[in-house]
Amino acid sequence: MIASARERRHAARRDALADAAIETLQSLGYAHTSLRDIARRTGLSLGRLHYYFADRNALIGYCVRRYKARFIAAIEQAIGGATQPRVVAARVVAALAASIRDNAETHRLWYDIRGQAMFDPALVEVVDEVETALIAITTLVTGRLGLDRALALSIYLAMDGHYRYAMQRHLDGDAQIVLAFERLATEALARFLPDEVRMDHDAHV
Amino acid sequence: MIASARERRHAARRDALADAAIETLQSLGYAHTSLRDIARRTGLSLGRLHYYFADRNALIGYCVRRYKARFIAAIEQAIGGATQPRVVAARVVAALAASIRDNAETHRLWYDIRGQAMFDPALVEVVDEVETALIAITTLVTGRLGLDRALALSIYLAMDGHYRYAMQRHLDGDAQIVLAFERLATEALARFLPDEVRMDHDAHV
DNA sequence: GAAGATTCTGGACACTCGTCCAGAAACGGC
DNA sequence: GCCGTTTCTGGACGAGTGTCCAGAATCTTC
């Protein structure tokens, strides 16, 4: 189905609105962001928000999809064509560390919304989608590490745990945590490697 | 300082109020729980909530402390005096699985509040305290597993990741996830064990 | 340029919220 | 029993909220 020019422009304006809205969301979080906050901070009218999105959750869900898609694209780009396990691992860890250092305020939003999905059925679908995509990129990484892809979920969960913790402590002002994250995350990945690869890996860490 | 009888009764009423309030919190989550909701659902007056707690965050923080203290006590009890790594691991995993199966709705609250702490400085202190206590119990488990206690943080983060995921999927209606959690969490613990212990451990799993 | 469609605005509706507080009710010590 | 203290209530204050929608403004097509 070819979109008309008008539909394309409509979609572009919708995207631009979401991109403007996300600043407010990441700053205030789900609980404390009202549509009026978004309107006020973006200079857009309250009515316009309602024109482009059915309701508050629709806007929030759309924002989260867009930002996580960009995050996943950045991880993919960081990996590039790397196929050596230790290069892949180093690149993933470095990309995650950089995202904490440079964008912790943005990334905390995912943990907020993911938590809210446990209380609000309207958020379940987008959260499941995003988490599925995160597990998928982890599956790609798992393959590149030369591991059985059945390990992807466990790798995702271990890395996610480390990421969230580091990000939260970074937000709390811990100046050493990103460096600690790099070490701990690298070790966490190494734990999944077979012994002979792991010994080789450790020798280079 | 010996509390007077009146002070003790005051504290007991404060605790009872918090215990009544937590039902509402765990049901509605941070974002959607108002003090009026709590008053309405507990049959207490709005003014009483304000009499016993300075503000909304004080009440919420107090509720979370109480419930997490109970959770940690339950884990400690489940471990008991076990000293054999595979018994310790099995008991921890079983206790975590049971808590998902029986109390997922309660436990989602921790993830909610922990996420909110990234946006609201007023919650940072209680969240740090609780997370420190969780890491402490994990340190005890780490010792019982015969491992270097420096691994406790990584073990905590890996287990936490698995726990949150399983709980969330359980809440979403996944009927197999608690069983899958038991397997994955056991594997995750095993990954920390030295090879000779791990091979022994794997033989019993 | 007119007409129809789309985009946008800002007012209104019907609530809700956290906090404050005066005064009633209950308690406890002398 | 009195009085001072504590506990509790429910009304009020001064906001704020998501949603709706009539009508103005703009765009596009013929």
Side-chain angles (χ1 to χ4, degrees):
Chain A
M1 188 65 224
I2 310 280
S4 67
R6 169 170 288 176
E7 282 165 343
R8 268 184 271 111
R9 280 197 293 272
H10 177 97
R13 278 191 299 265
R14 195 164 187 262
D15 289 349
L17 187 155
D19 291 343
I22 201 165
E23 304 294 330
T24 308
L25 258 178
Q26 76 197 23
S27 174
L28 304 180
Y30 174 90
H32 296 300
T33 300
S34 70
L35 294 177
R36 283 177 174 81
D37 289 322
I38 292 171
R40 204 178 301 124
R41 284 166 166 243
T42 56
L44 305 173
S45 68
L46 188 56
R48 192 194 294 207
L49 300 189
H50 283 290
Y51 180 75
Y52 284 99
F53 294 94
D55 56 33
R56 182 172 175 269
N57 272 339
L59 171 58
I60 290 171
Y62 196 72
C63 290
V64 170
R65 267 193 192 94
R66 281 184 66 78
Y67 122 70
K68 287 310 275 191
R70 284 196 291 260
F71 173 70
I72 288 165
I75 301 294
E76 279 172 344
Q77 190 179 31
I79 299 168
T83 53
Q84 286 185 305
R86 69 171 180 277
V87 174
V88 173
R91 288 191 180 178
V92 169
V93 171
L96 295 177
S99 74
I100 296 171
R101 198 183 298 116
D102 303 335
N103 290 289
E105 286 209 338
T106 297
H107 294 292
R108 63 185 171 175
L109 180 60
W110 164 238
Y111 293 92
D112 189 8
I113 301 302
R114 193 175 70 180
Q116 296 314 312
M118 289 195 257
F119 295 94
D120 188 345
L123 293 171
V124 169
E125 188 181 333
V126 60
V127 164
D128 279 354
E129 250 181 61
V130 170
E131 191 146 65
T132 299
L134 289 169
I135 292 167
I137 185 70
T138 311
T139 302
L140 178 116
V141 170
T142 304
R144 294 286 177 80
L145 292 175
L147 299 175
D148 179 358
R149 288 161 188 249
L151 289 174
L153 178 59
S154 287
I155 290 174
Y156 164 70
L157 294 176
M159 294 298 281
D160 179 70
H162 284 80
Y163 188 78
R164 189 281 310 171
Y165 183 79
M167 186 194 54
Q168 190 148 9
R169 298 209 58 79
H170 180 74
L171 287 165
D172 286 348
D174 187 331
Q176 312 305 322
I177 197 66
V178 176
L179 208 63
F181 168 77
E182 288 180 300
R183 180 173 56 79
L184 290 171
T186 302
E187 285 171 10
L189 283 180
R191 232 163 254 127
F192 288 94
L193 300 173
D195 298 343
E196 62 278 6
V197 182
R198 192 186 327 161
M199 290 163 91
D200 184 47
H201 190 100
D202 289 347
H204 289 270
V205 170
Chain B
M1 188 65 221
I2 308 281
S4 67
R6 169 169 285 177
E7 282 165 345
R8 268 185 270 110
R9 281 199 293 272
H10 177 98
R13 279 194 296 266
R14 194 165 189 263
D15 288 351
L17 188 154
D19 292 344
I22 201 164
E23 303 295 328
T24 307
L25 259 179
Q26 76 195 25
S27 175
L28 303 181
Y30 174 90
H32 297 300
T33 299
S34 70
L35 294 177
R36 282 177 173 83
D37 289 321
I38 292 170
R40 205 178 299 127
R41 283 168 170 243
T42 56
L44 304 173
S45 68
L46 189 55
R48 193 196 292 208
L49 300 189
H50 284 291
Y51 179 73
Y52 284 98
F53 295 94
D55 56 32
R56 184 172 173 266
N57 274 338
L59 170 58
I60 289 171
Y62 195 70
C63 289
V64 170
R65 267 192 191 95
R66 279 183 69 77
Y67 122 71
K68 287 310 273 191
R70 284 196 291 258
F71 174 70
I72 288 166
I75 301 295
E76 280 172 342
Q77 191 180 31
I79 300 168
T83 54
Q84 286 186 304
R86 72 171 178 276
V87 176
V88 174
R91 287 188 182 183
V92 169
V93 170
L96 294 177
S99 74
I100 296 172
R101 196 183 301 116
D102 304 335
N103 289 288
E105 287 208 336
T106 298
H107 293 292
R108 62 185 174 175
L109 181 60
W110 163 240
Y111 294 93
D112 188 9
I113 302 302
R114 195 176 70 180
Q116 297 313 311
M118 291 194 258
F119 294 95
D120 187 344
L123 292 172
V124 169
E125 187 181 334
V126 60
V127 164
D128 279 352
E129 249 180 63
V130 170
E131 192 148 65
T132 299
L134 289 169
I135 294 167
I137 186 71
T138 311
T139 303
L140 178 115
V141 171
T142 304
R144 293 286 177 80
L145 292 175
L147 299 174
D148 178 358
R149 286 163 189 249
L151 288 173
L153 179 60
S154 286
I155 290 174
Y156 164 70
L157 294 176
M159 294 299 281
D160 179 68
H162 284 80
Y163 187 78
R164 191 275 315 165
Y165 183 78
M167 184 194 54
Q168 190 149 5
R169 298 208 59 78
H170 179 76
L171 286 166
D172 287 350
D174 187 330
Q176 312 303 322
I177 198 66
V178 176
L179 208 63
F181 167 76
E182 288 180 301
R183 181 173 53 80
L184 290 170
T186 302
E187 287 171 10
L189 283 180
R191 232 165 252 126
F192 288 93
L193 300 174
D195 299 342
E196 62 278 5
V197 182
R198 197 189 320 164
M199 289 162 90
D200 185 48
H201 189 99
D202 288 347
H204 287 269
V205 172

